[in-house]
Amino acid sequence: DSGVTQTPKHLITATGQRVTLRCSPRSGDLSVYWYQQSLDQGLQFLIQYYNGEERAKGNILERFSAQQFPDLHSELNLSSLELGDSALYFCASSVGLPLDTQYFGPGTRLTVL
Amino acid sequence: GQQVMQIPQYQHVQEGEDFTTYCNSSTTLSNIQWYKQRPGGHPVFLIQLVKSGEVKKQKRLTFQFGEAKKNSSLHITATQTTDVGTYFCAGGVNDMRFGAGTRLTVKP
């Protein structure tokens, strides 16, 4: 158990819908990362937050947005969902120092029908 | 932008054979990390290398960081079925970026 929690574990929805994925980082960690992993694919970096502020942005679609709240939990919002958005979404957290170890949550499996 | 390339994408070995995965960057990296993701699981941190030419061992796993800090390798000696999974390298200058991973399968 990494100490990072993600909810929900599974999510099934329809095209065009909007969903919110939630992540709680390890106690003491200030940084949260979001990744997308499609079937048998690598980890696609989406976005990173540090202490409530956006720190780095990867290949995140405009339909996707995220935020980190004062209690440091983070939410990833996915809207106008398409079939291709079906994937595992991982959240990871770290202390927040550059290049430090990331601890991954169990992931949310999103299925768009 | 900064990219970390990893090869091979897949590797299938017989139990007892050795396995190596390679990670390459076009830019000098500040450090390199290796993660393992078991089937159905999430990536788990294995090790971090920081120094040029650094070599670290964890039982049957040997990790190397190149002299120019642009490449790294993970070598597993005498693979076991418990080694199955996807091995990711991650490296960066200011931010960590993950390679595409090498998926290892081991035939008993």
Side-chain angles (χ1 to χ4, degrees):
Chain A
D1 182 11
S2 65
V4 178
T5 60
Q6 287 187 249
T7 56
K9 199 168 183 177
H10 301 278
L11 199 47
I12 300 174
T13 188
T15 54
Q17 295 298 304
R18 173 190 169 93
V19 297
T20 297
L21 313 184
R22 184 187 167 104
C23 168
S24 292
R26 290 189 323 155
S27 176
D29 283 357
L30 297 178
S31 213
V32 169
Y33 308 76
W34 285 98
Y35 293 89
Q36 180 192 56
Q37 187 175 44
S38 301
L39 189 64
D40 291 338
Q41 297 295 310
L43 292 164
Q44 181 93 323
F45 169 68
L46 296 178
I47 199 163
Q48 178 197 359
Y49 279 83
Y50 174 77
N51 205 19
E53 300 289 326
E54 182 184 304
R55 175 176 265 187
K57 214 167 188 176
N59 299 321
I60 187 166
L61 299 172
E62 284 192 15
R63 300 183 287 108
F64 296 1
S65 65
Q67 59 184 133
Q68 187 179 30
F69 295 87
D71 68 352
L72 300 177
H73 91 271
S74 178
E75 292 180 357
L76 178 67
N77 300 296
L78 315 176
S79 61
S80 302
L81 285 168
E82 302 175 358
L83 295 177
D85 297 328
S86 295
L88 256 177
Y89 290 85
F90 286 108
C91 165
S93 75
S94 73
V95 171
L97 297 172
L99 310 174
D100 59 1
T101 302
Q102 296 181 31
Y103 296 88
F104 283 77
T108 293
R109 182 170 292 282
L110 173 67
T111 302
V112 182
L113 302 175
Chain B
Q2 170 199 307
Q3 275 194 329
V4 175
M5 309 301 292
Q6 195 173 349
I7 56 169
Q9 191 175 0
Y10 300 96
Q11 186 77 56
H12 180 73
V13 300
Q14 192 80 32
E15 188 173 23
E17 291 181 339
D18 292 356
F19 158 77
T20 306
T21 172
Y22 301 90
C23 189
N24 296 289
S25 170
S26 57
T27 59
T28 301
L29 301 169
S30 298
N31 68 353
I32 196 97
Q33 296 175 358
W34 287 91
Y35 293 75
K36 177 183 178 181
Q37 183 179 18
R38 293 183 186 274
H42 58 271
V44 174
F45 173 77
L46 293 176
I47 207 161
Q48 173 167 284
L49 304 172
V50 179
K51 299 176 186 175
S52 168
E54 189 170 11
V55 178
K56 286 189 177 180
K57 292 193 175 186
Q58 287 180 351
K59 296 182 181 178
R60 294 177 295 103
L61 278 60
T62 302
F63 304 84
Q64 284 190 294
F65 201 7
E67 293 290 340
K69 298 183 76 173
K70 289 185 175 182
N71 56 75
S72 180
S73 65
L74 157 59
H75 179 82
I76 302 178
T77 304
T79 54
Q80 299 175 359
T81 54
T82 52
D83 295 325
V84 297
T86 301
Y87 292 85
F88 293 97
C89 64
V93 179
N94 298 308
D95 301 291
M96 298 302 291
R97 292 293 175 263
F98 281 77
T102 295
R103 189 175 185 182
L104 172 66
T105 55
V106 180
K107 186 176 182 181

